[in-house]
Amino acid sequence: MARGLRQIIPAALAAGVAVALVAGPLGAVIWRAGGFGALRPADLEAVWFTLWQAAASAALSCALAVPVARALWRRRFVGRGALIALMGAPFLLPTVVAVMGLIAVFGRRGWVNGALGALGLPEVTVYGAGGVILAHVFFNLPLATRMVLGGWAAIPAERLRLAAALGLGPREIARHLERPMLRAVLPGAALAIFLVCLSSFAVALILGGGPRATTIELAIYQAFRLDFDLARAAALALVQVAICLAALALAARVTRAEGFGAGLDRAQPLAAPAGARRAKDTALITLAAAFLLAPLAALLWRGLPALGALPGSIWAACATSLALALGATALTLALALPLALAAPRARWAEAAGMAPMAVSGLVLGTGLFLIARPFVSPPALALPVTLATNALLSLPFALRLLLPEVRRLQADYDRLASALSLTGLARLRLLTLPRLARPLGLSAGIAAAFSMGDLGVITLFSDGRTQTLPLALYQLMGAYRMDQAAAAASLLMALTFALFWAFDRIGQHADPR
């Protein structure tokens, strides 16, 4: 009994911290909102824009992902693995860096408009609703492609060999294999992207704005910083939470497993078609790679030569961001590990770890601001609140990465550890940490990358003197010092990927297997 209590105490403390950091700010928002009467017609337009741009972004990302994933599935070429791995880069890329890259390609002086001008064609604009959706497709096309590609790879090889033996043509294969797989995968992918786009802030802040391209998150920021209308900001935050909860409930309802069942192996796909369809696959893969990699290349092309001209304040902001990222990573792991170890036996631990998914960073920041304001100057809390919020928003990802390995560890080693009386810190040091090193390293890398690129809560609390690197980069963009902004974005991108790579490598190195 006493041993069981000792094992559950760390998880109970972590759950208490996580729930308090979610419920406290949410309660403050509900208390301060006092109903939806404070909302203006422009806020309702922001709600409508948030919903339709998220739906359009999800639909476009999934529609483009299907042919790209099909081409990647049936083609084998040098660098295919590296290309698929690079498709994960936008997931880690700081939003403000990606937006800088898109401006470098699609902006007024970008590569695309340069080519259009040379051909005598009218320019395109990257600002407004079109720019917001373009940026969301840039972020989410790789996610959708990898999810659909995973669906194709999960079709049992026996089904593929049977289709080949029966001489099924492309239409029959699409009817009997591809469409059932897509019906299982696409709803979950679309809802995941819809959820991500619902809480879009930095993209709308830089590329959107105005009455026709303002998301709820941006409206909260404007009510907070420009109008200082806390009741309106709190009411908008409540609307955001309600929409997120409805989308999460819908996602849990429609996501289902495909009905192919288990196969005996995962062999090569069907023979790739030749002729025109080969050319079509090549074109699709080339265009997708160019769309995803050209903004990063354009950013480095412009930013690297200007690195030496960065002002000293950028390097100070860089040090602040690194300290925040390391602190948020440590807090994420300190919360996620005890919750993951307790979750197989206590469902409340998993629920507590997933609770932050119901709220966005801006909603948390709004609630924390309301709580702190009567007692202390909010700018004094800019860094600790940013650190805590970043850790909290990374917690669900870390928990999802740790849980499968924890369940496997407990199934394989619980009896042996009990027989050896291996408990407490000795078990943690000799068994748990070495066996969980890989997911811990990956979780730490993701938490550090998310924290490095965050441009959310810090914009609510900072008085301009406290800067992180994303905030300093945004201010450079606002001052139209674009060469220095490109250099700062290159630096931010390099540090983000370096932190992710370092933590992931440490985890792999520490794994004894």
Side-chain angles (χ1 to χ4, degrees):
M1 183 67 179
R3 180 183 162 190
L5 281 175
R6 281 199 302 272
Q7 289 178 341
I8 215 70
I9 285 174
L13 290 174
V17 171
V19 171
L21 285 175
V22 172
L26 195 56
V29 165
I30 293 171
W31 171 76
R32 190 66 174 81
F36 298 108
L39 295 181
R40 302 173 181 174
D43 298 325
L44 300 180
E45 286 188 29
V47 173
W48 169 240
F49 176 74
T50 301
L51 291 172
W52 81 257
Q53 65 81 23
S57 300
L60 268 176
S61 299
C62 290
L64 294 172
V66 171
V68 173
R70 183 192 288 118
L72 283 169
W73 176 63
R74 60 190 184 188
R75 300 293 166 191
R76 294 294 181 272
F77 53 89
V78 176
R80 177 180 178 273
L83 178 62
I84 293 173
L86 276 175
M87 284 188 161
F91 183 68
L92 299 172
L93 197 64
T95 307
V96 65
V97 173
V99 172
M100 273 289 299
L102 289 172
I103 292 173
V105 174
F106 297 98
R108 191 174 180 183
R109 296 181 180 178
W111 292 355
V112 170
N113 278 323
L116 291 174
L119 295 172
L121 297 172
E123 293 183 351
V124 296
T125 179
V126 75
Y127 297 98
V132 172
I133 293 172
L134 175 72
H136 286 162
V137 172
F138 174 79
F139 279 112
N140 295 301
L141 175 60
L143 173 65
T145 301
R146 293 186 70 154
M147 291 179 78
V148 177
L149 188 60
W152 255 301
I155 296 176
E158 294 84 350
R159 301 292 185 100
L160 300 174
R161 283 198 288 266
L162 179 62
L166 293 174
L168 297 185
R171 289 186 179 179
E172 288 79 13
I173 290 174
R175 178 183 176 188
H176 295 291
L177 295 179
E178 293 183 357
R179 288 176 193 164
M181 179 277 292
L182 291 175
R183 279 199 296 270
V185 172
L186 283 182
L191 275 168
I193 295 169
F194 182 79
L195 270 169
V196 170
C197 297
L198 274 182
S199 55
S200 176
F201 171 65
V203 168
L205 179 67
I206 300 171
L207 297 180
R212 294 185 178 178
T214 296
T215 60
I216 297 175
E217 295 272 292
L218 184 55
I220 293 173
Y221 169 78
Q222 290 169 343
F224 212 103
R225 292 305 299 254
L226 304 183
D227 304 330
F228 203 67
D229 188 343
L230 296 182
R232 189 169 137 244
L236 284 164
L238 272 186
V239 172
Q240 173 81 334
V241 171
I243 293 175
C244 284
L245 288 175
L248 282 172
L250 185 61
R253 189 174 182 82
V254 305
T255 303
R256 61 184 178 89
E258 41 79 15
F260 292 118
L264 298 178
D265 55 23
R266 296 278 187 266
Q268 293 291 320
L270 291 171
R277 278 182 288 172
R278 181 186 183 86
K280 177 185 169 187
D281 287 349
T282 304
L284 282 168
I285 293 170
T286 304
L287 287 173
F291 175 62
L292 296 174
L293 300 180
L296 306 185
L299 192 61
L300 292 173
W301 178 265
R302 185 171 185 177
L304 289 180
L307 271 178
L310 283 175
S313 60
I314 293 296
W315 299 104
C318 182
T320 303
S321 282
L322 281 172
L324 275 179
L326 294 176
T329 301
L331 183 56
T332 300
L333 296 186
L335 295 174
L337 183 58
L339 289 175
L341 292 175
R345 299 184 180 90
R347 296 186 65 180
W348 54 262
E350 184 176 355
M354 300 305 292
M357 287 194 71
V359 291
S360 69
L362 261 291
V363 173
L364 284 176
T366 303
L368 290 170
F369 186 97
L370 293 171
I371 293 172
R373 187 164 170 259
F375 308 104
V376 64
S377 172
L381 296 176
L383 297 183
V385 167
T386 302
L387 187 152
T389 305
N390 288 340
L392 207 59
L393 296 180
S394 299
L395 179 58
F397 294 93
L399 196 60
R400 280 286 151 226
L401 288 169
L402 284 169
L403 267 177
E405 290 297 324
V406 167
R407 291 195 174 100
R408 194 172 298 121
L409 174 72
Q410 294 183 353
D412 293 345
Y413 291 96
D414 256 10
R415 289 185 180 178
L416 178 61
S418 298
L420 296 173
S421 299
L422 193 61
T423 60
L425 290 177
R427 174 170 173 149
L428 185 70
R429 182 171 61 86
L430 298 174
L431 177 62
T432 303
L433 290 181
R435 288 284 163 179
L436 296 181
R438 284 176 186 264
L440 280 172
L442 185 56
S443 301
I446 289 175
F450 283 0
S451 182
M452 276 299 296
D454 177 64
L455 181 65
V457 176
I458 190 69
T459 58
L460 293 182
F461 280 79
S462 175
D463 57 358
R465 288 173 294 185
T466 304
Q467 284 186 326
T468 60
L469 190 50
L471 182 59
L473 165 57
Y474 174 64
Q475 290 173 344
L476 285 174
M477 293 172 69
Y480 296 101
R481 294 158 67 181
M482 299 308 286
D483 285 338
Q484 289 185 342
S490 302
L491 180 62
L492 178 56
M493 179 168 56
L495 289 173
T496 301
F497 288 139
L499 278 177
F500 175 79
W501 177 84
F503 279 120
D504 189 43
R505 289 292 299 171
I506 290 171
Q508 293 183 30
H509 181 72
D511 191 327
R513 292 166 288 183

